Amino acid sequence: MSENLLEVNNLKKYFKTSGGMLHAVDDVSFVIPAGKTMGVVGESGCGKSTLGRTLLQLYQPTAGEIRFRGENIANLSKKEFHKVRPKMQMIFQDPYSSLNGRMTVQQLIAEPLIVNKVCRNKKEIEDRVNKMMDTVGLASRLAMSYPHELDGGRRQRIGVARALILEPEFVVCDEPVSALDVSIQAQILNLLMDLQEQMGLTYMFITHDLSVVKHISDEIMVMYLGKCVEKAPAEEIFRNPVHPYTRALLAAIPIPSVESCHKRRTLLQGEVTNPINPKPGCRFAARCQYATDACRQGEIPLKEVSPGHFAACIHMEK
């Protein structure tokens, strides 16, 4: 059994606004074994990207623990975290806005090596960049090209190369294929899975598309307004979704068949709960057809439905 590379306990990230505290990530806990992929899904605004950025100290946690190889890195200073940074990297959603348009492909991929001073000379930098370009499927003839001269797929391969050039152990993939065409999405997903196997990488794969996360994830965590509402092995989530929100997400996956046009879908109604100073209780209650007063009286903890399958709902049998 793989050891846990990352262990997160009761992580919170709040933002101060004029109306109060916005609970972007609220009391989230999970573990990711080494070499595995945790898929994080949910609607826009559910806190999944904030979660990923908080793990990498792009946002300072409000409370909770982030244990990387057993060490709590949640409260490290910027100087202390600089030693951990090469082992924890991120692939961003938009491959164009995340790249400096004034730098060539070669310069963009070399930048992390130069910033972290891991190479002794220019020849070593050039060799590592050329090797990484070959690894991610970028032709050597593109080394002196600029981002605006390339298509979305090649730009994202640059993003992947930048994230992996320092040989990290953990990579947050923040919706890395959502801005790409469907055919290119498949290429990037296959590349990420191949690289995981070759380099022994551990991923957190963030997306709003359940059909995408199914193929790459070992375990899936469903988030709603900062809370984890369901967590289970990938196959179990698709075979036996328990939380009403998870079932609604699954029902929204397009099925390419004529028969599916007549299939009855789960439609969510009601207003999304305000994430600023939220009241106690299930945050999905305002949109849930099964909600009762009991759902609004206090926090709904995650309960184990079956081995490894957890859900935060008091009406799971429905």
Side-chain angles (χ1 to χ4, degrees):
M1 192 171 184
S2 302
E3 66 168 305
N4 294 328
L5 180 74
L6 190 75
E7 183 177 347
V8 177
N9 298 310
N10 309 112
L11 185 65
K12 299 180 180 180
K13 177 56 189 175
Y14 299 167
F15 294 96
K16 189 174 183 180
T17 71
S18 57
M21 298 302 291
L22 189 153
H23 293 215
V25 177
D26 204 353
D27 202 25
V28 172
S29 301
F30 58 89
V31 297
I32 308 180
K36 301 295 183 181
T37 299
M38 164 76 81
V40 182
V41 298
E43 295 170 298
S44 296
C46 72
K48 55 189 187 295
S49 292
T50 301
L51 172 63
R53 289 166 183 259
T54 303
L55 295 180
L56 301 188
Q57 296 281 36
L58 297 179
Y59 296 141
Q60 190 66 29
T62 301
E65 287 186 340
I66 304 169
R67 293 195 170 274
F68 181 72
R69 290 213 173 277
E71 179 188 3
N72 185 12
I73 61 172
N75 298 312
L76 294 181
S77 65
K78 288 185 177 181
K79 186 176 181 180
E80 291 171 328
F81 191 76
H82 186 71
K83 299 175 182 177
V84 183
R85 171 70 67 197
K87 296 298 179 183
M88 305 178 75
Q89 293 293 309
M90 190 169 196
I91 301 170
F92 294 92
Q93 178 177 358
D94 187 344
Y96 189 64
S97 63
S98 64
L99 301 175
N100 186 338
R102 299 187 178 208
M103 297 173 72
T104 65
V105 172
Q106 188 178 63
Q107 291 171 331
L108 287 165
I109 299 174
E111 187 179 26
L113 297 173
I114 297 169
V115 170
N116 288 276
K117 300 177 181 178
V118 297
C119 293
R120 290 167 292 184
N121 51 55
K122 290 184 178 180
K123 178 68 168 59
E124 188 175 343
I125 292 174
E126 187 176 331
D127 289 344
R128 288 188 63 168
V129 169
N130 290 339
K131 183 179 178 182
M132 182 53 66
M133 286 183 65
D134 183 59
T135 299
V136 301
L138 283 169
S140 57
R141 61 183 172 79
L142 300 175
M144 302 311 294
S145 300
Y146 290 88
H148 74 272
E149 298 175 313
L150 306 176
D151 59 28
R154 288 191 176 94
R155 289 175 194 155
Q156 193 57 291
R157 288 176 191 269
I158 299 172
V160 173
R162 280 169 59 87
L164 302 187
I165 193 72
L166 293 174
E167 300 178 354
E169 296 179 60
F170 176 66
V171 180
V172 174
C173 306
D174 186 10
E175 303 208 37
V177 298
S178 64
L180 306 176
D181 294 338
V182 175
S183 60
I184 305 300
Q185 285 185 10
Q187 293 177 21
I188 298 299
L189 285 173
N190 289 332
L191 173 65
L192 290 173
M193 289 189 284
D194 290 342
L195 291 172
Q196 182 176 37
E197 186 174 346
Q198 293 171 22
M199 304 176 68
L201 299 169
T202 304
Y203 289 148
M204 170 181 277
F205 193 92
I206 298 169
T207 182
H208 61 272
D209 190 342
L210 271 163
S211 59
V212 167
V213 81
K214 179 182 181 180
H215 298 288
I216 197 171
S217 302
D218 297 288
E219 188 174 19
I220 294 175
M221 180 170 68
V222 181
M223 289 187 68
Y224 186 79
L225 287 182
K227 287 281 192 181
C228 170
V229 297
E230 190 162 1
K231 181 173 57 176
E235 291 183 2
E236 176 70 9
I237 280 279
F238 281 83
R239 182 175 61 245
N240 181 33
V242 170
H243 197 280
Y245 179 61
T246 306
R247 294 204 292 263
L249 286 179
L250 288 171
I253 298 175
I255 302 173
S257 69
V258 176
E259 291 78 10
S260 67
C261 297
H262 307 291
K263 184 179 177 181
R264 188 174 181 181
R265 295 190 179 276
T266 303
L267 299 178
L268 296 181
Q269 299 178 345
E271 293 293 327
V272 177
T273 303
N274 191 341
I276 298 176
N277 298 332
K279 297 178 181 178
C282 177
R283 294 180 187 175
F284 187 62
R287 303 172 73 189
C288 181
Q289 59 180 318
Y290 307 114
T292 62
D293 290 340
C295 301
R296 302 177 177 89
Q297 289 176 356
E299 296 298 327
I300 311 296
L302 285 169
K303 293 183 180 180
E304 193 166 21
V305 182
S306 59
H309 188 169
F310 298 85
C313 182
I314 60 176
H315 300 297
M316 288 186 284
E317 69 282 354
K318 298 181 181 179

